[in-house]
Amino acid sequence: RNLHNVDISSGINAEYGGFRGIQQLVKNITNNPDRQLGDYRVLNSFESSLQRQVTPMLCFIDGMHKLYSTSFDPIVAARSYGLGIVNQLPLLKNTFLDQARG
């Protein structure tokens, strides 16, 4: 069984706490003699915490891909209308941009 299916050297993982998570994991193991680095429970806990951080961004990216990969006219019209509104509201537009920048 693959205990950690997210590449810990990838940029998204580093951005969303992968390296800090590993650092915390090692610290917790050092402070808890009952746990070892290869312990399934330790690795599973690390994987779960990382997935909770990464999953919302992956869902957003998937949703945007679906929204922009369709040529269904009602969706295209709604998308264009929505973008027009966002473009006319600088506060909302800047909020979206800030979220995208991280």
Side-chain angles (χ1 to χ4, degrees), residues 10-31:
S10 69
I12 192 167
N13 207 10
E15 179 68 27
Y16 289 99
F19 296 122
R20 285 189 306 269
I22 290 172
Q23 192 175 38
Q24 185 64 40
L25 174 74
V26 171
K27 182 179 176 183
N28 289 344
I29 292 169
T30 304
N31 294 334

Side-chain angles (χ1 to χ4, degrees), residues 17-72:
F19 296 122
R20 285 189 306 269
I22 290 172
Q23 192 175 38
Q24 185 64 40
L25 174 74
V26 171
K27 182 179 176 183
N28 289 344
I29 292 169
T30 304
N31 294 334
N32 188 346
D34 295 338
R35 299 289 172 114
Q36 295 181 0
L37 186 56
D39 186 335
Y40 173 78
R41 294 170 295 177
V42 171
L43 295 174
N44 194 40
S45 173
F46 171 69
E47 179 184 34
S48 295
S49 69
L50 191 58
Q51 284 181 350
R52 280 191 296 276
Q53 295 172 24
V54 173
T55 299
M57 179 60 74
L58 293 177
C59 290
F60 174 77
I61 292 168
D62 182 59
M64 294 301 287
H65 173 70
K66 288 176 181 173
L67 181 64
Y68 282 92
S69 65
T70 186
S71 59
F72 185 57

